[in-house]
Amino acid sequence: MPERVTASRAPVRKTYKLYIGGAFPRSESARSYVVDSARGGFLANAAQASRKDARDAVVAARKAFGKWSQATAYNRGQVLYRIAEMLEGRRAEFIDAVVAGEGVSARTARSTVDRAIDRWVWYAGWTDKIAQVFGGTNPVAGPYFDFSVPEPTGVVAVVAPQRSSLLGLVSVVAPVVASGNTTVVVASERRPLPAIALAEVLATSDLPGGVINLLTGITTELAPWLASHMDVNAIDLTGADPKQSTDLERRSADNIKRVLRAPAGGEPSWTGDPGVSRLGAFLETKTVWHPMGI
C-alpha cells in the first residue's frame, strides 16, 4: 500500500538536467525554466541549455558517430528494440507525463504512449532493410559491377515537434539513429518532460552514450546555433518556429547541411503509417565500381 503523504510535507520540486554523452549534466549557464502543465500548474524546472551545452552535445554526438555508424544493422536493431522494452516498463509514467504536458485524456495518452513504443519497434525492424530499399546493384554498359550503398550522413540536429511531446519526438529521432546517424535533439520547449523521461530510458538501455543527446530550453535560442555549427551535417526543422525557418536554412547553407524542412501546414498528425521517408532523409549514397573477372 502506498505511503500516505501528509499535508505537512514540503513538495519536492524537481529540477531536471540535460542529457549529453550518456550523462546528465546541468546547464553550464546554470539557467533553468519553469515547465507548467497544460492547465497552468507547476510541473517541474527544466534545464535551459546554452550555446556551450549545444556545442558539448555536438562533440559527444561526433565522438559516438564512428562506433554507432559501424555497428551492424542487427546490433542497432537490437538496441532500438531494447529502448521499446524499457519504455514499455515505464508506460504508466509516460502516460502521466503526456496527460500533464499535453492536456489530453488518459485514454488518448495511453494510445500515444503505445504508438511511441510501437514506433521504436517499427524502426528497429528497419535497420537491416535500409540497404536493400535505398541501395542496390545498378545496370551499367561495361565489364563492371556497380553498387549503390546508403551510408549515414553524420551528426543530425533535430528540432523536435512542439505539440506532440512524445510520439512526435520518437517519430523524428528513431529514424535518424536507426540509419546509423547520431543526433542532438532540442526537445519541445513547453512540453519537455516526456523527452526528459525518455532520456532516463536511453541512459539505462543499451544505447551507447552520445548517440542521442537531448537538450531542453528555448528553441529559438538553440536552433540557430545548431544550424550554423560547422560539425553538424544535417538538420531536421520539423519543430522549428515557421518565422525562423528561412533564417535556419540560410545558416545551414554555410557548410552545405542537408535540411529537412518543417512540414507545410504545420505539425502533422503522428498517428499514421510512418513510412520510410524519414529513414532516407539523412542518408548519403556511395557508388562503388568494380571490374568483372578480376
Side-chain angles (χ1 to χ4, degrees), residues 88-105:
E88 179 78 37
R90 297 176 60 169
R91 182 171 174 269
E93 175 189 348
F94 278 91
I95 291 171
D96 291 343
V98 171
V99 169
E102 299 184 11
V104 298
S105 67

Side-chain angles (χ1 to χ4, degrees), residues 29-290:
S29 66
R31 297 180 301 174
S32 63
Y33 68 104
V34 173
V35 179
D36 291 326
S37 70
R39 297 184 177 182
F42 175 85
L43 285 179
N45 296 301
Q48 185 175 334
S50 67
R51 182 177 187 174
K52 184 177 185 306
D53 295 322
R55 288 204 306 263
D56 290 346
V58 173
V59 170
R62 178 59 62 191
K63 185 177 180 181
F65 176 70
K67 187 175 180 180
W68 181 247
S69 62
Q70 294 302 314
T72 64
Y74 175 70
N75 180 239
R76 285 203 301 272
Q78 285 183 312
V79 172
L80 266 61
Y81 191 84
R82 178 60 179 160
I83 294 171
E85 288 181 330
M86 299 289 288
L87 196 56
E88 179 78 37
R90 297 176 60 169
R91 182 171 174 269
E93 175 189 348
F94 278 91
I95 291 171
D96 291 343
V98 171
V99 169
E102 299 184 11
V104 298
S105 67
R107 180 177 180 180
T108 300
R110 282 195 293 272
S111 175
T112 297
V113 174
D114 290 346
R115 289 179 188 276
I117 296 169
D118 293 347
R119 200 131 300 177
W120 281 113
V121 175
W122 164 268
Y123 285 112
W126 267 102
T127 55
D128 60 357
K129 301 170 184 64
I130 292 172
Q132 293 95 325
V133 174
F134 294 97
T137 304
N138 305 313
V140 292
Y144 303 98
F145 291 115
D146 184 80
F147 305 98
S148 290
V149 181
E151 293 191 337
T153 297
V155 175
V156 179
V158 173
V159 183
Q162 298 297 318
R163 287 193 295 107
S164 183
S165 56
L166 179 64
L167 180 57
L169 172 69
V170 172
S171 298
V172 297
V173 171
V176 171
V177 296
S179 54
N181 298 289
T182 56
T183 183
V184 177
V185 184
V186 181
S188 171
E189 181 176 324
R190 300 312 317 172
R191 301 172 176 176
L193 297 195
I196 294 168
L198 180 62
E200 294 172 352
V201 165
L202 300 177
T204 53
S205 69
D206 297 331
L207 189 75
V211 174
I212 298 176
N213 304 274
L214 282 161
L215 303 176
T216 54
I218 310 304
T219 303
T220 53
E221 176 187 352
L222 296 170
W225 292 333
L226 291 171
S228 59
H229 198 298
M230 299 303 285
D231 203 27
V232 173
N233 303 104
I235 188 166
D236 179 351
L237 300 178
T238 297
D241 185 337
K243 297 178 181 177
Q244 196 182 30
S245 291
T246 301
D247 175 62
L248 294 175
E249 290 186 39
R250 187 179 298 114
R251 289 170 181 265
S252 299
D254 286 344
N255 73 334
I256 320 178
K257 281 185 183 63
R258 183 182 290 267
V259 175
L260 183 60
R261 290 180 168 176
E267 189 174 320
S269 169
W270 300 101
T271 58
D273 183 348
V276 297
S277 61
R278 284 188 170 273
L279 280 171
F282 301 112
L283 290 175
E284 307 291 340
T285 300
K286 179 175 70 178
T287 299
V288 179
W289 292 73
H290 192 283

Side-chain angles (χ1 to χ4, degrees), residues 11-24:
V12 179
R13 300 168 71 91
K14 293 182 179 179
T15 298
Y16 291 102
K17 303 175 186 176
L18 307 172
Y19 182 58
I20 300 174
F24 291 92

